[in-house]
Amino acid sequence: MYRFLFSSKWLGYLLLAAIFATACVFLGRWQMDRRAETLAEINRVVSNYSATPIPFAQARDQFSQLDPAKEWTQVELQGSYDATGQRIVRNRPLNGQPGYEVVVPFRLTTGETVVIDRGWLPIGNRNPGSPDSVPAPPSGEVTAVVRLKHGEPELQRGAPEGQLASIDLPTYASQLGYPLLTGAYGQLASETPPAAEMPVAFPKPSTDEGTHLSYSLQWFAFGVLMFVGFGYAARQQARNAAIDAEDEEEALPDGTVHSAVPAARRRPEPRRRKKATAEEEEDALLDAQGY
């Protein structure tokens, strides 16, 4: 009944179903990997974002090479801002709005220098390509609490003077002319004393894992449904073939069609009457007239 499955046509259908299902499995696993990355980021935020700040001496190695598990860790820094080295970073959207971020070198009391991202600024209305004003950092001795962040890769595009295309710490250090700790930078959480005017503070990262799990389950379901559809189509083809075979078996060699009802259950056909003779016809006519 299912011999047709070995035909080139149906083997081709099966191959297409297998390819589609494999692609669905690949996409489902990709979504699961993205979910795992998202959950890891959520765990870092939950564990580190609001934890008690640690002193710089304890976090010194992280500014040289940041452990991914330590991202968002709060660190307390003491020193002063180098306002002359301040830069704005281009193309930094926040909540769907285009803008900039303000980065400033921070020279520690130990003599080392790190980079602090002080916050976000909207695009300017008076000066295209730059914010209308950039709030100055506080002068003098400052105690800053920052959250550790990885540096960003270098972008193959330029930036006007006083601006950066990304928070690429080695490129930033080359502009300043003095060494920076380039393994990580700090995203400002608070500073004492506070500046008179501040950029917009960064919001807390989202802890919503998103729709990766539901998307992965959908892709896996699509892969299974492809084989279900193939099986249904094969079943329908087998049923149609069986019906065609029955019709062929019922046909007699002379072209007449033999009834599919068994002989035992078939109603007997009435006997055909013999053709009446002339005498019988005459007698029937006289009987009808009453003679």
Side-chain angles (χ1 to χ4, degrees):
M1 180 182 294
Y2 288 93
R3 290 181 180 177
F4 63 88
L5 291 176
F6 296 98
S7 66
S8 58
K9 175 182 176 181
W10 280 90
L11 288 175
Y13 290 159
L14 181 60
L15 178 62
L16 288 176
I19 293 174
F20 181 82
T22 301
C24 289
V25 170
F26 174 80
L27 291 170
R29 291 178 62 87
W30 174 64
Q31 286 291 346
M32 292 297 287
D33 291 341
R34 291 191 63 190
R35 178 175 182 260
E37 293 173 0
T38 301
L39 291 177
E41 174 67 11
I42 291 172
N43 289 334
R44 286 193 291 269
V45 172
V46 172
S47 301
N48 302 335
Y49 191 85
S50 300
T52 303
I54 61 176
F56 172 76
Q58 190 175 337
R60 169 66 177 76
D61 292 342
Q62 300 302 323
F63 279 97
S64 296
Q65 184 175 1
L66 180 58
D67 180 355
K70 299 295 184 181
E71 188 176 15
W72 300 111
T73 297
Q74 294 198 101
V75 181
E76 185 176 277
L77 308 175
Q78 291 184 339
S80 59
Y81 286 106
D82 176 16
T84 60
Q86 178 174 271
R87 299 287 189 274
I88 60 173
V89 188
R90 299 172 58 81
N91 301 318
R92 312 297 284 198
L94 180 66
N95 297 327
Q97 299 298 319
Y100 308 88
E101 291 178 20
V102 184
V103 292
V104 190
F106 190 82
R107 185 162 293 146
L108 299 161
T109 54
T110 60
E112 296 158 305
T113 304
V114 299
V115 173
I116 294 181
D117 187 346
R118 299 190 66 242
W120 181 85
L121 296 173
I123 59 174
N125 296 318
R126 297 191 298 270
N127 300 314
S130 64
D132 289 336
S133 63
V134 181
S139 59
E141 183 97 1
V142 175
T143 298
V145 175
V146 300
R147 295 184 175 95
L148 294 175
K149 290 281 292 176
H150 288 278
E152 298 173 356
E154 180 182 6
L155 300 181
Q156 298 302 317
R157 63 170 183 246
E161 185 177 355
Q163 299 187 15
L164 298 171
S166 67
I167 307 179
D168 173 31
L169 298 176
T171 299
Y172 192 8
S174 67
Q175 293 184 11
L176 296 173
Y178 54 79
L180 290 175
L181 295 177
T182 57
Y185 70 94
Q187 193 178 86
L188 185 64
S190 65
E191 59 188 8
T192 306
E197 186 180 358
M198 289 284 295
V200 177
F202 294 107
K204 183 177 180 179
S206 173
T207 54
D208 180 11
E209 70 173 79
T211 57
H212 300 305
L213 178 60
S214 61
Y215 283 162
S216 65
L217 294 178
Q218 287 178 17
W219 282 118
F220 292 142
F222 289 155
V224 173
L225 287 175
M226 191 63 185
F227 285 107
V228 172
F230 178 84
Y232 177 79
R235 178 179 172 80
Q236 291 297 106
Q237 176 69 19
R239 291 180 63 183
N240 293 339
I243 292 173
D244 292 342
E246 270 187 28
D247 292 343
E248 290 178 1
E249 289 177 0
E250 291 169 5
L252 296 177
D254 61 359
T256 60
V257 177
H258 181 68
S259 173
V261 181
R265 298 174 55 188
R266 196 178 304 148
R267 294 180 61 184
E269 295 182 4
R271 289 186 176 182
R272 295 182 179 179
R273 296 180 61 187
K274 294 181 180 180
K275 186 175 181 181
T277 62
E279 292 80 2
E280 291 175 339
E281 291 179 356
E282 184 178 352
D283 291 341
L285 181 60
L286 293 174
D287 290 341
Q289 293 178 358
Y291 295 102

